[in-house]
């Protein structure tokens, strides 16, 4: 078994502030993801990294940057926080090949509030 | 454009009843449909999945019924328990690689004791 650790669990920022969310996984998975979860809107993909030196934009990448520091870690930066923004950011990972790559393993999320 | 739709948005059933959660999709190339379960304060976790070559998948009290012609599927939870209270997400993809997954907006299930 393994675990995905997201830090911080709660993040409060000011409008216009640059904020960084961190994710660590010990599954030894190749692929990592960042999703945004808004109430009533499901999960939307922000960025993903197929392997350690890869970075791909998802459908919701505008306003965000991402960095894959090493195989086990993947960070997300909110480049300019928007006032009244409230969402949960979920990190996930999968192995690279085969049917096991279809199962996403999620962390417990970082809840962002922008004042 | 919402490619994966779920209904109802919220559902309340009594303990022991069967909960039925619905999902529909638009893209006929979708061939893999996982359902994820999310408890408050936690990330989603894979509950059960089905491929388009099957019309039914069962795992204990959880069963997916799949209708390819109508592009619909449903998750049936029989003998519902209070511990099943969670949000359930239907998702779909057309190819391998979980970055292709499209998630629905979720159904919040409450099971009353």
């Amino acid at each position: 078994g393994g675990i995905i650790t997201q830090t911080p669990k709660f993040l409060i920022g000011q409008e216009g502030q640059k904020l960084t969310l961190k994710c660590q996984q010990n599954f030894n998975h190749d692929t990592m993801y960042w999703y945004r979860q808004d109430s009533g809107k499901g999960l939307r993909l922000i960025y993903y990294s197929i392997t350690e030196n890869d970075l791909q934009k998802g459908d919701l990448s505008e306003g965000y940057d991402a960095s894959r520091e090493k195989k086990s870690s993947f960070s997300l930066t909110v480049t300019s926080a928007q006032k009244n923004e409230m969402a949960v950011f979920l990190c996930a990972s999968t192995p690279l090949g085969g049917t096991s790559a279809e199962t996403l393993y999620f962390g417990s999320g970082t809840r962002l509030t922008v004042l | 454009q919402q490619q994966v739709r779920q209904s109802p948005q919220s559902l309340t059933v009594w303990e022991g009843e069967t909960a039925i959660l619905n999902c529909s999709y638009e893209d006929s190339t979708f061939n893999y449909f996982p359902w994820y379960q999310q408890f408050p304060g936690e990330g989603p976790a894979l509950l059960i999945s089905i491929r388009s070559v099957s019309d039914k998948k069962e795992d204990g009290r959880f069963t997916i019924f799949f209708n390819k012609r109508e592009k619909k599927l449903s998750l049936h939870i029989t003998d519902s328990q209070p511990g099943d209270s969670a949000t359930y997400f239907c998702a779909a993809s057309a190819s391998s690689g979980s970055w292709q997954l499209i998630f629905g907006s979720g159904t919040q299930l409450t099971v009353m004791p």
Side-chain angles (χ1 to χ4, degrees):
Chain A
I3 191 169
I4 294 182
T5 303
Q6 293 189 236
T7 55
K9 284 190 178 300
F10 300 93
L11 182 57
I12 299 175
Q14 301 292 325
E15 185 180 19
Q17 192 176 2
K18 185 175 178 180
L19 302 167
T20 298
L21 292 67
K22 294 188 178 294
C23 175
Q24 293 267 354
Q25 53 96 0
N26 64 0
F27 286 100
N28 198 34
H29 285 167
D30 295 284
T31 307
M32 296 186 73
Y33 312 76
W34 277 106
Y35 285 90
R36 176 178 166 133
Q37 182 175 18
D38 294 274
S39 178
K41 289 188 179 180
L43 282 68
R44 292 180 289 174
L45 185 61
I46 305 172
Y47 266 97
Y48 62 102
S49 170
I50 298 175
T51 58
E52 187 173 341
N53 296 311
D54 176 73
L55 197 61
Q56 305 281 345
K57 292 182 178 181
D59 291 336
L60 205 65
S61 62
E62 187 171 341
Y64 303 95
D65 285 327
S67 174
R68 184 83 182 266
E69 295 87 6
K70 50 186 177 180
K71 186 175 183 179
S72 63
S73 67
F74 194 30
S75 297
L76 181 73
T77 298
V78 181
T79 56
S80 179
Q82 299 299 303
K83 191 172 178 63
N84 297 322
E85 181 173 7
M86 183 179 294
V88 176
F89 292 84
L90 293 164
C91 178
S93 70
T94 59
L96 183 54
T99 56
S100 58
E102 294 173 326
T103 301
L104 287 159
Y105 293 86
F106 285 92
S108 58
T110 293
R111 184 174 296 273
L112 172 67
T113 302
V114 182
L115 303 176
Chain B
Q1 181 185 3
Q2 195 171 0
Q3 297 192 57
V4 178
R5 299 178 190 271
Q6 290 188 247
S7 64
Q9 188 172 355
S10 63
L11 176 66
T12 299
V13 299
W14 293 102
E15 183 174 357
E17 291 185 334
T18 296
I20 300 176
L21 289 66
N22 300 303
C23 180
S24 64
Y25 61 97
E26 298 174 4
D27 191 332
S28 58
T29 65
F30 287 160
N31 57 20
Y32 173 64
F33 304 89
W35 286 81
Y36 281 79
Q37 179 189 53
Q38 183 180 31
F39 296 106
E42 298 181 12
L46 179 66
L47 177 65
I48 187 173
S49 63
I50 193 168
R51 298 190 187 280
S52 58
V53 294
S54 302
D55 55 15
K56 181 181 176 181
K57 176 79 172 290
E58 195 170 347
D59 185 357
R61 296 184 295 108
F62 301 90
T63 302
I64 300 174
F65 293 93
F66 179 68
N67 185 322
K68 188 173 183 177
R69 184 179 59 83
E70 295 188 6
K71 298 180 188 173
K72 291 182 178 179
L73 57 160
S74 59
L75 175 68
H76 292 225
I77 306 173
T78 57
D79 188 24
S80 297
Q81 301 297 308
D84 297 329
S85 297
T87 300
Y88 294 80
F89 291 99
C90 173
S93 70
S95 60
S96 62
S98 290
W99 52 89
Q100 308 282 357
L101 268 180
I102 305 296
F103 284 86
S105 56
T107 292
Q108 186 171 350
L109 174 67
T110 302
V111 182
M112 302 294 288

